[in-house]
């Protein structure tokens, strides 16, 4: 029996190595983890959902879970997909910790901000069908969750880069894409869907918020507005001047 011991030890070593590689797979690449509908922490049976889904307008959260304060957990960090396909050529580790959650105006969807040691991400969650989508990503910087448009059709994220300049990402709730990079209308530095004027290129974006269909923000000394459906960047003060003049004449 003694000559068999080295062989047995080698087989055990290979088994341990296989388990270690499998555990680390989420850090780099692999198949997307199926997204569950969410579960109670103690695995109790959840009440049936209505066709319109639960009311999420008063959700609570901590670093590891999103819940309703009455024992129902909608998401835990293990529910977020890992890895996340940022583009056709890049995949990154998943959510990390939950840092911010904002319900949509009708309380039926959630916009979520998460963070790891290397990157920030933004997500949309619709509990009807357990639909959890990564829609914003920033490596080496952070993603800020700015807020929802009043009609609930768009949500704004701000992607702070490690270098000069930021990106504003306006995401439509009906969007469905395979990669995070394909979501939303990006406003910002060269390469964005809508590039900022050269005079403010490289300046930090300071969000002002939604008003009607438009999102307003400051960049340097300029003040802009943009309708994500149209994609036209306008000087907010000049755009509002005609209506103001009409009001004065009236």
């Amino acid at each position: 029996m003694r000559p068999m011991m080295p062989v047995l030890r080698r087989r055990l070593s290979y088994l341990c190595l296989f388990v270690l590689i499998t555990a680390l797979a989420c850090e780099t690449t692999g198949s997307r983890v199926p997204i569950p509908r969410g579960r109670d922490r103690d695995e109790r049976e959840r009440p049936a959902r209505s066709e319109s889904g639960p009311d999420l307008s008063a959700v609570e959260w901590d670093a590891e879970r999103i819940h309703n304060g009455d024992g129902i957990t909608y998401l835990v960090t293990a529910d977020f997909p890992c890895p996340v396909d940022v583009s056709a050529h890049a995949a990154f580790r998943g959510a990390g910790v939950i840092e911010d959650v904002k319900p949509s105006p009708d309380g039926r969807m959630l916009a979520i901000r998460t963070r790891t040691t290397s990157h920030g991400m933004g997500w949309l969650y619709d509990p009807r069908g357990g639909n959890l989508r990564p829609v914003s990503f920033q490596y080496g910087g952070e993603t800020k969750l700015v807020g929802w448009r009043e009609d609930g059709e768009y949500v704004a994220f701000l992607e702070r880069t490690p270098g000069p300049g930021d990106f504003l990402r306006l995401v439509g709730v009906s969007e469905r894409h395979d990669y995070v990079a394909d979501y939303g209308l990006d406003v910002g530095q060269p390469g964005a869907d809508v590039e900022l004027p050269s005079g403010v290129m490289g300046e930090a974006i300071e969000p002002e918020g939604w008003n009607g269909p438009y999102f307003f923000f400051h960049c340097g000394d300029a003040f802009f507005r943009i309708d994500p459906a149209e994609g036209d960047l306008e000087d907010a003060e000049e755009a509002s001047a005609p209506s103001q003049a009409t009001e004065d004449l009236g």
Side-chain angles (χ1 to χ4, degrees):
M1 295 296 294
R2 183 166 295 180
M4 295 296 293
M5 292 302 294
V7 175
L8 180 59
R9 283 198 296 268
R10 282 200 300 273
R11 289 179 177 176
L12 288 174
S13 298
Y14 294 152
L15 178 60
C16 292
L17 180 60
F18 173 77
V19 171
L20 178 61
I21 292 173
T22 303
L24 293 176
C26 268
E27 292 291 329
T28 53
T29 186
S31 300
R32 187 183 295 274
V33 176
I35 303 169
R37 293 175 177 267
R39 59 182 180 270
D40 295 351
R41 177 56 60 92
D42 59 4
E43 300 297 329
R44 292 174 299 178
E45 182 178 354
R46 296 185 57 183
R49 288 182 174 142
S50 64
E51 288 297 320
S52 59
D55 183 0
L56 304 176
S57 59
V59 294
E60 302 175 15
W61 69 92
D62 54 37
E64 297 182 350
R65 68 187 184 116
I66 300 173
H67 58 96
N68 70 349
D70 294 322
I72 300 297
T73 296
Y74 297 112
L75 287 173
V76 297
T77 51
D79 293 335
F80 289 74
C82 176
V84 174
D85 296 323
V86 174
S87 70
H89 307 289
F92 289 83
R93 186 159 55 93
V97 298
I98 299 166
E99 290 209 319
D100 194 11
V101 179
K102 285 183 169 56
S104 60
D106 63 3
R108 299 305 179 194
M109 295 185 64
L110 298 178
I112 305 167
R113 174 169 65 98
T114 64
R115 175 184 55 81
T116 72
T117 55
S118 64
H119 58 264
M121 295 194 67
W123 309 76
L124 284 177
Y125 174 60
D126 184 347
R128 295 163 293 186
N131 192 323
L132 178 62
R133 290 165 281 162
V135 298
S136 177
F137 175 87
Q138 180 57 55
Y139 185 82
E142 63 177 331
T143 294
K144 291 184 175 292
L145 173 51
V146 181
W148 290 89
R149 201 166 77 173
E150 189 174 301
D151 61 5
E153 292 299 318
Y154 286 90
V155 64
F157 293 91
L158 179 64
E159 298 170 355
R160 292 264 189 225
T161 71
D166 301 322
F167 290 92
L168 179 68
R169 174 164 288 200
L170 308 176
V171 181
V173 298
S174 61
E175 294 184 49
R176 298 289 189 278
H177 301 291
D178 292 331
Y179 305 112
V180 181
D182 295 332
Y183 274 93
L185 179 76
D186 281 336
V187 184
Q189 307 308 304
D193 299 317
V194 179
E195 296 183 3
L196 291 167
S198 58
V200 296
M201 191 68 73
E203 298 283 350
I205 292 175
E206 301 297 338
E208 188 72 22
W210 295 97
N211 189 354
Y214 298 100
F215 188 86
F216 290 78
F217 64 96
H218 294 273
C219 189
D221 295 328
F223 186 37
F224 298 104
R225 76 176 191 181
I226 187 166
D227 180 346
E230 300 295 333
D232 295 326
L233 185 67
E234 301 176 298
D235 183 296
E237 294 179 351
E238 291 182 0
S240 62
S243 60
Q244 184 63 51
T246 302
E247 291 179 8
D248 293 342
L249 289 174

